[in-house]
Amino acid sequence: PPEDRLERVAVFPSQDPLDRADFNAVEYINTLFPTEQSLANIDEVVNKIRLKIRRLDDNIRTVVRGQTNVGQDGRQALEEAQKAIQQLFGKIKDIKDKAEKSEQMVKEITRDIKQLDHAKRHLTTSITTLNHLHMLAGGVDSLEAMTRRRQYREVANLLQGVVNVLEHFNKYMGISQIRQLSERVKAAQNELGQQILADFEEAFPSQGTKRPGGPSNVLRDACLVANVLDPRIKQEIIKKFIKQHLSEYLVLFQENQDVAWLDKIDRRYAWIKRQLMDYEEKYGRMFPQEWCMTERIAVEFCHVTRTELAKIMRTRAKEIEVKLLLFAIQRTTNFEGLMAKRFSGCTLADGTVKKAELPPPSTNPFLEDESGTETDETVIEKGDIDRPKKPKAPDNPFHGIISKCFEPHLYVYIESQDKNLGELIDRFVADFKAQGPPKPNVDEGGAVLPSCADLFVYYKKCMVQCSQLSTGEPMIALTTIFQKYLREYAWKILSGNLPKTTSSSGGLTITSLLKEKEGSEVAKFTVEELCLICSILSTAEYCLATTQQLEEKLKEKVDASLMERINLTGEMDTFSIVISNSIQLLVQDLDAACDPALTAMSKMQWQNVEHVGDQSPYVTSVILHIKQNVPIIRDNLASTRKYFTQFCIKFANSFIPKFINHLFKCKPISMVGAEQLLLDTHSLKMVLLDLPSIGSQVVRKAPASYTKIVVKGMTRAEMILKVVMAPHEPPVVFVDNYIKLLADCSTDTFQKILDMKGLKRSEQSSMLELFRQRLPAPPSGVENTSSMSLMAPTPEQESSRIRKLEKLIKKRL
């Protein structure tokens, strides 16, 4: 079979044709006998093949006989291997039997040793337990005796040891003697607790404000014992001592006392400072240091003060004024800051006020340290965006421990800020009217109104101040006030001071335009008004960026649950509208200044132009206005380059369509007149391409987006004039040339071109009919429309055509 032959060839490679997998007998015979003459050697070939067959038979016979001998040798080797395996199995069994005997022997040898080890361990445990029992019994006796003699120092050392030893007998409580010793220890602890409380009650009576001259050594040792006793004993001692220590405070600052009101809040904090100093001097060594008694007294004072202040403010709410409230809050937060410097806050977990959790690290790039008074006064200046900020300091653990009571009355503060901001906006309006617009400041890229920085300085002061008072609803209320006056600033200061445009526009006649001297035309806005518009635009841009920063800051300050309620997007949109209006005013001003020149262009008798000369007077007028206005606008918007680019783009989008509309009004046009208009159009195109850097010492490449708009628009104007210049005979060639050059299939545009050429109505009718017939068929699936877009020539192709036209004009000149 073919597969067998393939396997054989793979195992035994051979060049013999007989061994090939695709062997063909006919082809092989034809190879041996290619011609009739070669058949003469047939006997010789047959003999060779027979000899080869005999050799193959001999080889096969030898191989078969060899395989017979190999089978006999294999069976013999298998029998020998089986015998060897049987011998090996016997040896392994003997080794296993010997190992079991050895293991049994070892167990018998070590049995006695294990018994001795167990006995030793039990004996050691018994001796240790007896020693502990002896120590426990003696310790309980000594403890009872020392308790009766009030030897608290010795009791403190002994009691801890007795308690530790008693823990070893927890599993032996079923034994009556052990249970009795445990009960005696508990009784001794209870007795010690009652006895120590009685000693402190005697030394520091709850009634009266007079305290003994100083602590005794007995009470100091008693505190050491209280550390070992039930924690409730320690808490009771601390509670009674602090209550007795603050009893005088409750009397001196009762609600009916004059000193209790907010205007004298300093006296509260001065009193506790004196008391803490007095405590440190008289009782500092009596209590263990780990009790943090000084901090506990201060914290309890804060709780009492917060409760008392809240009570008195509810009673006298009508008397609270914003200055008084801020004074009290400032003194209170200063005291809380002083406590943070003096104490660690480790005792706050024991009271009702928990330690403030540190907020997660903020990713705000405008983060800055606002913990100190110097930073609080820092303004949100224009350079803040680029200046690196210091990391925020950790929160004060005592923040709000007293000042929390002022939060219900912060509406007074919010109302005051509303009033102050209203007055601030009114002052800005009055100052602007009195001082007038800011002077042009070209060196710094345009002047930002100083009132803008003043407003955000005040905003930041209010924000920092309010965040120190509360990070809850008052911050939301303050944000609402910020939003209100950001809008008022945008409309009253910025939009309200934009120069007003007048509806009347004085057009120039052709004669007056030609007779006017260069530079005699005046733009609608003066230089000062242009600078004012640029200043308002720069101010609005600064307000937009700073309002976004303000929103991020407010979200940092407010509680996480209220963060979603802070949204200044509407105010940022308002400033964006001011920017857009300012740019539109600049565009309208320059556009209106060019209108008389375009009107003069459309009223010229272009059919009477006899030769092509330099650029027309209307082009000179347009260029003059551009050179007068654009450098002023560019210099005053140097700090906001992107908005100057927007101005250029909007002007191009406004001027170019208007120029094309005026081109259509130039009718009829002679061939020479069209050539002159084409030259004028090219001059305007070059000026527009250079508009962003016109009159500048530093020439910059115009933005690609602007260049694309100018090239596309002015190329269309050039193509219109080229179509007008083309002969209208034969009509088919003219129509095809129009569709190719102008890429506009609108019949209205074609009608205007025919009017510009001055064709009669009869000729126009036949042209329009031919135009409709020559229009390319719209793509399938697209509805027929009156106008369709074709592939316009590339700017490179059009520029080459314009260069050819210029050469022709120069030859004619």
PDB file of all heavy atoms in Angstrom, residues 170-190:
ATOM      1  N   ASN A 170      -7.197  28.667  88.509  1.00  0.00           N
ATOM      2  CA  ASN A 170      -8.537  28.738  87.915  1.00  0.00           C
ATOM      3  C   ASN A 170      -9.111  27.356  87.625  1.00  0.00           C
ATOM      4  O   ASN A 170     -10.314  27.124  87.763  1.00  0.00           O
ATOM      5  CB  ASN A 170      -8.487  29.561  86.618  1.00  0.00           C
ATOM      6  CG  ASN A 170      -8.290  31.049  86.893  1.00  0.00           C
ATOM      7  OD1 ASN A 170      -8.642  31.531  87.974  1.00  0.00           O
ATOM      8  ND2 ASN A 170      -7.719  31.769  85.942  1.00  0.00           N
ATOM      9  N   LYS A 171      -8.248  26.379  87.281  1.00  0.00           N
ATOM     10  CA  LYS A 171      -8.746  25.036  86.971  1.00  0.00           C
ATOM     11  C   LYS A 171      -8.939  24.173  88.217  1.00  0.00           C
ATOM     12  O   LYS A 171      -9.396  23.023  88.108  1.00  0.00           O
ATOM     13  CB  LYS A 171      -7.787  24.344  86.013  1.00  0.00           C
ATOM     14  CG  LYS A 171      -6.352  24.291  86.483  1.00  0.00           C
ATOM     15  CD  LYS A 171      -5.460  23.695  85.392  1.00  0.00           C
ATOM     16  CE  LYS A 171      -3.999  23.729  85.829  1.00  0.00           C
ATOM     17  NZ  LYS A 171      -3.101  23.172  84.774  1.00  0.00           N
ATOM     18  N   TYR A 172      -8.564  24.734  89.380  1.00  0.00           N
ATOM     19  CA  TYR A 172      -8.725  23.983  90.634  1.00  0.00           C
ATOM     20  C   TYR A 172      -9.833  24.569  91.507  1.00  0.00           C
ATOM     21  O   TYR A 172      -9.881  24.304  92.711  1.00  0.00           O
ATOM     22  CB  TYR A 172      -7.417  23.987  91.443  1.00  0.00           C
ATOM     23  CG  TYR A 172      -6.230  23.426  90.691  1.00  0.00           C
ATOM     24  CD1 TYR A 172      -5.116  24.220  90.419  1.00  0.00           C
ATOM     25  CD2 TYR A 172      -6.226  22.116  90.263  1.00  0.00           C
ATOM     26  CE1 TYR A 172      -4.026  23.724  89.731  1.00  0.00           C
ATOM     27  CE2 TYR A 172      -5.138  21.595  89.571  1.00  0.00           C
ATOM     28  CZ  TYR A 172      -4.041  22.398  89.307  1.00  0.00           C
ATOM     29  OH  TYR A 172      -2.960  21.892  88.632  1.00  0.00           O
ATOM     30  N   MET A 173     -10.721  25.389  90.926  1.00  0.00           N
ATOM     31  CA  MET A 173     -11.755  26.034  91.727  1.00  0.00           C
ATOM     32  C   MET A 173     -12.765  25.032  92.290  1.00  0.00           C
ATOM     33  O   MET A 173     -13.545  25.370  93.182  1.00  0.00           O
ATOM     34  CB  MET A 173     -12.492  27.086  90.878  1.00  0.00           C
ATOM     35  CG  MET A 173     -11.662  28.343  90.618  1.00  0.00           C
ATOM     36  SD  MET A 173     -11.215  29.136  92.182  1.00  0.00           S
ATOM     37  CE  MET A 173     -10.059  30.370  91.627  1.00  0.00           C
ATOM     38  N   GLY A 174     -12.763  23.838  91.804  1.00  0.00           N
ATOM     39  CA  GLY A 174     -13.641  22.820  92.390  1.00  0.00           C
ATOM     40  C   GLY A 174     -13.217  22.395  93.782  1.00  0.00           C
ATOM     41  O   GLY A 174     -14.011  21.831  94.548  1.00  0.00           O
ATOM     42  N   ILE A 175     -11.965  22.673  94.174  1.00  0.00           N
ATOM     43  CA  ILE A 175     -11.462  22.356  95.519  1.00  0.00           C
ATOM     44  C   ILE A 175     -11.931  23.448  96.476  1.00  0.00           C
ATOM     45  O   ILE A 175     -11.750  24.642  96.201  1.00  0.00           O
ATOM     46  CB  ILE A 175      -9.930  22.240  95.503  1.00  0.00           C
ATOM     47  CG1 ILE A 175      -9.499  21.171  94.479  1.00  0.00           C
ATOM     48  CG2 ILE A 175      -9.401  21.919  96.872  1.00  0.00           C
ATOM     49  CD1 ILE A 175      -8.008  21.090  94.272  1.00  0.00           C
ATOM     50  N   SER A 176     -12.510  23.080  97.569  1.00  0.00           N
ATOM     51  CA  SER A 176     -13.121  24.054  98.497  1.00  0.00           C
ATOM     52  C   SER A 176     -12.100  25.020  99.058  1.00  0.00           C
ATOM     53  O   SER A 176     -12.364  26.219  99.202  1.00  0.00           O
ATOM     54  CB  SER A 176     -13.846  23.314  99.627  1.00  0.00           C
ATOM     55  OG  SER A 176     -12.917  22.494 100.342  1.00  0.00           O
ATOM     56  N   GLN A 177     -10.898  24.515  99.414  1.00  0.00           N
ATOM     57  CA  GLN A 177      -9.879  25.399  99.995  1.00  0.00           C
ATOM     58  C   GLN A 177      -9.464  26.485  98.989  1.00  0.00           C
ATOM     59  O   GLN A 177      -9.292  27.651  99.344  1.00  0.00           O
ATOM     60  CB  GLN A 177      -8.635  24.590 100.413  1.00  0.00           C
ATOM     61  CG  GLN A 177      -8.854  23.706 101.631  1.00  0.00           C
ATOM     62  CD  GLN A 177      -9.500  22.381 101.259  1.00  0.00           C
ATOM     63  OE1 GLN A 177      -9.853  22.163 100.107  1.00  0.00           O
ATOM     64  NE2 GLN A 177      -9.692  21.500 102.262  1.00  0.00           N
ATOM     65  N   ILE A 178      -9.283  26.073  97.738  1.00  0.00           N
ATOM     66  CA  ILE A 178      -8.899  27.057  96.706  1.00  0.00           C
ATOM     67  C   ILE A 178     -10.024  28.056  96.510  1.00  0.00           C
ATOM     68  O   ILE A 178      -9.789  29.270  96.366  1.00  0.00           O
ATOM     69  CB  ILE A 178      -8.571  26.325  95.391  1.00  0.00           C
ATOM     70  CG1 ILE A 178      -7.434  25.311  95.582  1.00  0.00           C
ATOM     71  CG2 ILE A 178      -8.200  27.337  94.311  1.00  0.00           C
ATOM     72  CD1 ILE A 178      -6.138  25.918  96.033  1.00  0.00           C
ATOM     73  N   ARG A 179     -11.261  27.585  96.491  1.00  0.00           N
ATOM     74  CA  ARG A 179     -12.397  28.473  96.297  1.00  0.00           C
ATOM     75  C   ARG A 179     -12.505  29.473  97.433  1.00  0.00           C
ATOM     76  O   ARG A 179     -12.821  30.650  97.226  1.00  0.00           O
ATOM     77  CB  ARG A 179     -13.679  27.645  96.180  1.00  0.00           C
ATOM     78  CG  ARG A 179     -14.894  28.477  95.802  1.00  0.00           C
ATOM     79  CD  ARG A 179     -16.086  27.631  95.385  1.00  0.00           C
ATOM     80  NE  ARG A 179     -16.467  26.700  96.429  1.00  0.00           N
ATOM     81  CZ  ARG A 179     -16.265  25.387  96.383  1.00  0.00           C
ATOM     82  NH1 ARG A 179     -15.670  24.853  95.317  1.00  0.00           N
ATOM     83  NH2 ARG A 179     -16.632  24.583  97.360  1.00  0.00           N
ATOM     84  N   GLN A 180     -12.212  29.052  98.639  1.00  0.00           N
ATOM     85  CA  GLN A 180     -12.261  29.969  99.787  1.00  0.00           C
ATOM     86  C   GLN A 180     -11.193  31.054  99.675  1.00  0.00           C
ATOM     87  O   GLN A 180     -11.451  32.226  99.972  1.00  0.00           O
ATOM     88  CB  GLN A 180     -12.076  29.176 101.080  1.00  0.00           C
ATOM     89  CG  GLN A 180     -13.254  28.281 101.430  1.00  0.00           C
ATOM     90  CD  GLN A 180     -12.985  27.431 102.653  1.00  0.00           C
ATOM     91  OE1 GLN A 180     -11.921  27.531 103.275  1.00  0.00           O
ATOM     92  NE2 GLN A 180     -13.958  26.569 103.020  1.00  0.00           N
ATOM     93  N   LEU A 181      -9.981  30.655  99.232  1.00  0.00           N
ATOM     94  CA  LEU A 181      -8.921  31.658  99.072  1.00  0.00           C
ATOM     95  C   LEU A 181      -9.310  32.683  97.999  1.00  0.00           C
ATOM     96  O   LEU A 181      -9.055  33.872  98.154  1.00  0.00           O
ATOM     97  CB  LEU A 181      -7.613  30.969  98.684  1.00  0.00           C
ATOM     98  CG  LEU A 181      -6.904  30.183  99.791  1.00  0.00           C
ATOM     99  CD1 LEU A 181      -5.700  29.430  99.228  1.00  0.00           C
ATOM    100  CD2 LEU A 181      -6.438  31.130 100.911  1.00  0.00           C
ATOM    101  N   SER A 182      -9.926  32.219  96.894  1.00  0.00           N
ATOM    102  CA  SER A 182     -10.353  33.128  95.839  1.00  0.00           C
ATOM    103  C   SER A 182     -11.396  34.118  96.352  1.00  0.00           C
ATOM    104  O   SER A 182     -11.346  35.314  96.042  1.00  0.00           O
ATOM    105  CB  SER A 182     -10.910  32.329  94.667  1.00  0.00           C
ATOM    106  OG  SER A 182     -11.416  33.179  93.662  1.00  0.00           O
ATOM    107  N   GLU A 183     -12.340  33.625  97.164  1.00  0.00           N
ATOM    108  CA  GLU A 183     -13.365  34.510  97.706  1.00  0.00           C
ATOM    109  C   GLU A 183     -12.757  35.531  98.659  1.00  0.00           C
ATOM    110  O   GLU A 183     -13.197  36.692  98.700  1.00  0.00           O
ATOM    111  CB  GLU A 183     -14.434  33.683  98.397  1.00  0.00           C
ATOM    112  CG  GLU A 183     -15.259  32.827  97.436  1.00  0.00           C
ATOM    113  CD  GLU A 183     -16.210  31.901  98.167  1.00  0.00           C
ATOM    114  OE1 GLU A 183     -16.127  31.876  99.421  1.00  0.00           O
ATOM    115  OE2 GLU A 183     -17.025  31.217  97.503  1.00  0.00           O
ATOM    116  N   ARG A 184     -11.746  35.107  99.438  1.00  0.00           N
ATOM    117  CA  ARG A 184     -11.085  36.053 100.357  1.00  0.00           C
ATOM    118  C   ARG A 184     -10.376  37.158  99.558  1.00  0.00           C
ATOM    119  O   ARG A 184     -10.368  38.318  99.971  1.00  0.00           O
ATOM    120  CB  ARG A 184     -10.094  35.306 101.232  1.00  0.00           C
ATOM    121  CG  ARG A 184     -10.746  34.415 102.291  1.00  0.00           C
ATOM    122  CD  ARG A 184      -9.716  33.618 103.067  1.00  0.00           C
ATOM    123  NE  ARG A 184      -8.801  34.498 103.781  1.00  0.00           N
ATOM    124  CZ  ARG A 184      -7.692  34.061 104.415  1.00  0.00           C
ATOM    125  NH1 ARG A 184      -7.410  32.759 104.399  1.00  0.00           N
ATOM    126  NH2 ARG A 184      -6.922  34.900 105.061  1.00  0.00           N
ATOM    127  N   VAL A 185      -9.776  36.780  98.404  1.00  0.00           N
ATOM    128  CA  VAL A 185      -9.105  37.795  97.587  1.00  0.00           C
ATOM    129  C   VAL A 185     -10.115  38.806  97.049  1.00  0.00           C
ATOM    130  O   VAL A 185      -9.898  40.014  97.077  1.00  0.00           O
ATOM    131  CB  VAL A 185      -8.337  37.130  96.432  1.00  0.00           C
ATOM    132  CG1 VAL A 185      -7.818  38.180  95.450  1.00  0.00           C
ATOM    133  CG2 VAL A 185      -7.170  36.319  96.974  1.00  0.00           C
ATOM    134  N   LYS A 186     -11.269  38.311  96.555  1.00  0.00           N
ATOM    135  CA  LYS A 186     -12.297  39.201  96.043  1.00  0.00           C
ATOM    136  C   LYS A 186     -12.838  40.118  97.129  1.00  0.00           C
ATOM    137  O   LYS A 186     -13.075  41.312  96.899  1.00  0.00           O
ATOM    138  CB  LYS A 186     -13.432  38.403  95.419  1.00  0.00           C
ATOM    139  CG  LYS A 186     -13.036  37.684  94.132  1.00  0.00           C
ATOM    140  CD  LYS A 186     -14.225  36.904  93.567  1.00  0.00           C
ATOM    141  CE  LYS A 186     -13.830  36.167  92.291  1.00  0.00           C
ATOM    142  NZ  LYS A 186     -14.951  35.381  91.743  1.00  0.00           N
ATOM    143  N   ALA A 187     -13.010  39.552  98.324  1.00  0.00           N
ATOM    144  CA  ALA A 187     -13.501  40.361  99.436  1.00  0.00           C
ATOM    145  C   ALA A 187     -12.494  41.448  99.786  1.00  0.00           C
ATOM    146  O   ALA A 187     -12.861  42.597 100.076  1.00  0.00           O
ATOM    147  CB  ALA A 187     -13.785  39.475 100.632  1.00  0.00           C
ATOM    148  N   ALA A 188     -11.201  41.092  99.739  1.00  0.00           N
ATOM    149  CA  ALA A 188     -10.153  42.080 100.050  1.00  0.00           C
ATOM    150  C   ALA A 188     -10.159  43.190  99.002  1.00  0.00           C
ATOM    151  O   ALA A 188      -9.992  44.373  99.327  1.00  0.00           O
ATOM    152  CB  ALA A 188      -8.792  41.401 100.107  1.00  0.00           C
ATOM    153  N   GLN A 189     -10.371  42.838  97.734  1.00  0.00           N
ATOM    154  CA  GLN A 189     -10.420  43.844  96.678  1.00  0.00           C
ATOM    155  C   GLN A 189     -11.606  44.784  96.861  1.00  0.00           C
ATOM    156  O   GLN A 189     -11.474  46.006  96.711  1.00  0.00           O
ATOM    157  CB  GLN A 189     -10.498  43.160  95.307  1.00  0.00           C
ATOM    158  CG  GLN A 189      -9.195  42.491  94.866  1.00  0.00           C
ATOM    159  CD  GLN A 189      -9.344  41.778  93.546  1.00  0.00           C
ATOM    160  OE1 GLN A 189     -10.399  41.224  93.263  1.00  0.00           O
ATOM    161  NE2 GLN A 189      -8.289  41.755  92.754  1.00  0.00           N
ATOM    162  N   ASN A 190     -12.772  44.220  97.206  1.00  0.00           N
ATOM    163  CA  ASN A 190     -13.944  45.057  97.434  1.00  0.00           C
ATOM    164  C   ASN A 190     -13.740  45.991  98.608  1.00  0.00           C
ATOM    165  O   ASN A 190     -14.097  47.174  98.575  1.00  0.00           O
ATOM    166  CB  ASN A 190     -15.175  44.184  97.656  1.00  0.00           C
ATOM    167  CG  ASN A 190     -15.578  43.429  96.389  1.00  0.00           C
ATOM    168  OD1 ASN A 190     -15.279  43.865  95.285  1.00  0.00           O
ATOM    169  ND2 ASN A 190     -16.232  42.286  96.559  1.00  0.00           N
TER     170      ASN A 190
END
